[in-house]
Amino acid sequence: MLSKTQFIFSYLNHNLKSTPINPFINCQTKPISSLKVVWRKDSKLDQAIEIDKRYRLCARVVKEVLNEPGQVIPLRYLEKRRERMGLTVEVRTFLTKNPGLFTSYYDKIKPKTQPVEFIRVSDRLKDFLEEEERVYGENEHWIMSKLCKLLMMSKDKVLSVDKLVHVKREFGFPNDFLVNLVPKYPQYFRLVGCPGEGQSFLELVSWESEFAKSVIERRAEEESRLTGIRVRPNFHVKLPSGFFLRKEMREWVRDWMELDYVSPYEDVSQLDQASREMEKRTVGVFHELLSLSLHKRVPVPILGKFSDEYRFSNAFSSVFTRHSGIFYMSLKGGIKTAMLREAYKGDKLIDRDPLLQIKDKFAELLEEGWRVRAEQLRYHREAIKKDMEMMAMKNVEYDKRVCDE
C-alpha cells in the first residue's frame, strides 16, 4: 500500500505528465518568495460564492432592521442606507421581491407629524430568530472551542475584540458572543477593557489540550485508527483539472510535502520567518482557519487583519497561489477570497459546519417567500390574460352587431 506522500507524488507525476523526479532531492536553492505559480480561474468554486450572494444581501438588510430600537424603522430612513447595504434597487422593490421578511404599517415619527410607512420584522422572521437562538444554544460548546482555537493559534494568546467582532460572521459567532458566551467560560476567557470604549482584548486564561489538535491531525488519527497503520499528518493536495506547475515548482512541492507537519498550535517563535518550516506552519494556520470558518472560505483582507497575531508575512496572500492544490483564491466580486479546496465538490460545500443549519433555515424562509411571490405573479398574469380574452370576445360581439345593423 502506498503511503500518503507516495500517493501525492504519484498523483502529481501522472496528472502533470512530468518525468520521474527523486522526491528527496533538495530543491530549496531559491527563497520561497521567488517561487511563483500563475493564478488559474476555477469557475465551480467561483460559482459557490455567487450562489450565496442573494442570501447575504437579504441577511444584511435584516441585520440593519434588527439593529434598530424596537426592530422597526421608517421606510424612507432605510432607503437612505441603500448604498451601504449594497442594494442596487429601491428598498420598496427589494421588499416586494423578498416577501415574508417584513411587514409594513403607518405611524408618526413625531407626535405632530403625518404618519409615514414603517417596516418591522414579520412573524415568520421572528420564528426564524427563535430557531437561530436554539441552534446557537445546541452548538455553544463548538462555538466556544472555535474561539479558544483562534486564541490558541495566536502569538500571545490574545486577540483584539474589534477584530473578533469583525470576523464573527465568517466563523458563525452569535452577535452577542462577548456578552452572553464569553462570561460563561471564565476558565478559558478574560475580557480586558470595555468593548466600544477604547481598545479591548480577549485573552486565553488556560490552555485546553483537547482543542490543540488541528483538523489535519485529527484526520490522520482517524485514518490510523481505521487502517491500523500510522498515518503522518499532512495536507490533501487536490489539483484542479488541467493545472500545470513548472518543473522547479513541482520539485519544491514534493520536497516541501516531505517536511514534518507543523501544528498551528505549536510555539514557532524559534523558526525563521523565511524558512520552509515556517511556510509549513503558515499553510497549517490558514488551513485550520478556513476549516473553522462556516463556508471554508474567508476574504483575504480579513485574514490580513491578523497578520501580526498569527505571524503572517507581508506577502502572505501568495501562499494561496503557491499551494494551489490546497487552496483557491477567488477574485469573484472584486474581492480576494481564500477557499479550502478539499471542502468542496464542484460548487457544493461538502464539509459542512453544524452552524450552517442557521443559513439553511434562513434560505427556507426566503425561498418560501419567493415561491409565494411567483405564485402571485402567475395568478396575476392569468387574470390579465382572461381579461384580455374577455375584452377580445366583447370586441368581436360588438363588431358583429355593428355589421348586422
Side-chain angles (χ1 to χ4, degrees):
M1 180 181 294
L2 292 175
S3 70
K4 182 178 290 187
T5 302
Q6 288 172 322
F7 173 78
I8 292 170
F9 292 162
S10 174
Y11 178 86
L12 288 169
N13 280 330
H14 174 74
N15 285 276
L16 302 177
K17 296 180 175 61
S18 64
T19 56
I21 298 171
N22 184 344
F24 302 104
I25 292 176
N26 187 353
C27 302
Q28 311 302 324
T29 55
K30 291 187 177 183
I32 293 172
S33 60
S34 69
L35 297 168
K36 306 295 183 182
V37 177
V38 177
W39 177 84
R40 183 186 178 95
K41 180 182 176 67
D42 190 320
S43 299
K44 290 183 177 178
L45 289 180
D46 283 343
Q47 180 62 19
I49 294 178
E50 185 66 24
I51 289 171
D52 290 336
K53 187 176 179 180
R54 189 173 183 182
Y55 300 105
R56 292 197 305 270
L57 179 61
C58 291
R60 282 199 296 270
V61 178
V62 169
K63 179 182 176 183
E64 196 73 30
V65 177
L66 292 179
N67 286 339
E68 288 296 307
Q71 299 180 342
V72 300
I73 185 174
L75 181 64
R76 69 188 189 192
Y77 287 5
L78 194 62
E79 179 66 33
K80 292 178 181 178
R81 305 176 191 178
R82 191 175 75 184
E83 184 176 346
R84 187 177 75 187
M85 293 185 294
L87 284 178
T88 56
V89 297
E90 291 184 355
V91 171
R92 190 181 298 279
T93 302
F94 169 84
L95 297 177
T96 302
K97 289 183 175 181
N98 298 280
L101 292 177
F102 307 104
T103 58
S104 63
Y105 67 101
Y106 283 83
D107 199 357
K108 296 178 180 180
I109 297 177
K110 294 180 180 180
K112 296 183 179 180
T113 59
Q114 292 295 318
V116 298
E117 188 174 4
F118 280 73
I119 64 168
R120 60 188 169 197
V121 296
S122 67
D123 290 340
R124 291 182 60 222
L125 183 54
K126 288 179 181 177
D127 291 341
F128 161 75
L129 294 173
E130 290 178 2
E131 184 69 11
E132 181 183 50
E133 286 298 315
R134 183 190 66 79
V135 174
Y136 278 136
E138 290 180 351
N139 292 278
E140 184 175 287
H141 184 270
W142 172 229
I143 297 169
M144 177 272 291
S145 70
K146 278 192 186 188
L147 197 53
C148 279
K149 284 171 174 284
L150 292 182
L151 290 167
M152 290 166 68
M153 283 188 285
S154 66
K155 181 174 60 178
D156 299 315
K157 312 301 177 278
V158 58
L159 292 171
S160 160
V161 164
D162 288 342
K163 292 181 181 181
L164 285 172
V165 169
H166 194 68
V167 300
K168 65 183 179 183
R169 185 170 67 89
E170 272 68 34
F171 292 96
F173 299 152
N175 290 329
D176 59 359
F177 76 99
L178 288 171
V179 176
N180 290 332
L181 185 137
V182 167
K184 286 184 180 180
Y185 299 94
Q187 69 272 36
Y188 293 130
F189 308 121
R190 179 186 298 115
L191 194 58
V192 180
C194 185
E197 300 179 9
Q199 285 193 327
S200 54
F201 300 89
L202 190 65
E203 292 182 349
L204 184 72
V205 173
S206 60
W207 185 268
E208 178 55 70
S209 299
E210 177 191 349
F211 303 149
K213 286 185 181 179
S214 68
V215 169
I216 287 178
E217 289 171 311
R218 290 182 185 278
R219 185 167 62 201
E221 287 182 356
E222 180 64 13
E223 291 178 10
S224 297
R225 186 185 66 80
L226 293 174
T227 62
I229 302 171
R230 181 180 177 276
V231 177
R232 287 180 59 201
N234 217 334
F235 303 102
H236 279 182
V237 176
K238 186 181 178 184
L239 288 170
S241 177
F243 194 85
F244 177 78
L245 289 177
R246 290 181 292 112
K247 177 182 175 182
E248 177 190 50
M249 193 63 202
R250 289 198 302 271
E251 293 173 347
W252 187 89
V253 169
R254 290 187 179 94
D255 200 34
W256 184 82
M257 287 291 289
E258 273 299 298
L259 293 174
D260 287 338
Y261 174 75
V262 181
S263 171
Y265 301 101
E266 287 184 26
D267 179 11
V268 293
S269 55
Q270 78 286 356
L271 289 182
D272 179 359
Q273 189 73 24
S275 67
R276 293 182 298 158
E277 290 78 12
M278 193 62 180
E279 173 91 349
K280 195 94 173 187
R281 190 262 179 183
T282 299
V283 173
V285 172
F286 283 132
H287 187 285
E288 187 75 352
L289 288 173
L290 294 180
S291 295
L292 292 173
S293 68
L294 275 184
H295 295 93
K296 316 308 176 197
R297 63 176 187 253
V298 177
V300 172
I302 288 180
L303 292 172
K305 291 180 180 293
F306 295 90
S307 292
D308 182 57
E309 291 87 341
Y310 293 130
R311 300 177 184 272
F312 300 151
S313 68
N314 292 334
F316 76 90
S317 62
S318 63
V319 166
F320 303 122
T321 50
R322 190 156 55 244
H323 298 277
S324 297
I326 302 171
F327 307 112
Y328 171 62
M329 187 164 68
S330 173
L331 305 180
K332 196 70 179 176
I335 300 174
K336 292 181 178 179
T337 302
M339 306 181 71
L340 193 59
R341 282 194 184 276
E342 66 186 43
Y344 287 85
K345 185 175 182 180
D347 60 2
K348 304 299 182 187
L349 182 65
I350 55 176
D351 184 5
R352 289 177 57 82
D353 190 292
L355 291 168
L356 281 176
Q357 294 177 67
I358 293 172
K359 182 205 164 186
D360 294 342
K361 296 292 182 182
F362 187 60
E364 289 175 10
L365 169 64
L366 291 176
E367 288 163 6
E368 176 61 26
W370 298 340
R371 282 193 293 271
V372 169
R373 182 170 184 268
E375 194 71 8
Q376 290 173 342
L377 290 174
R378 185 175 68 82
Y379 285 140
H380 182 63
R381 285 193 297 267
E382 289 177 354
I384 292 175
K385 183 179 179 181
K386 287 180 180 178
D387 288 345
M388 293 180 67
E389 289 174 349
M390 290 291 294
M391 289 180 63
M393 290 175 63
K394 289 180 180 179
N395 287 337
V396 169
E397 291 174 358
Y398 175 79
D399 291 343
K400 186 177 179 181
R401 286 199 303 269
V402 170
C403 290
D404 291 342
E405 292 174 358

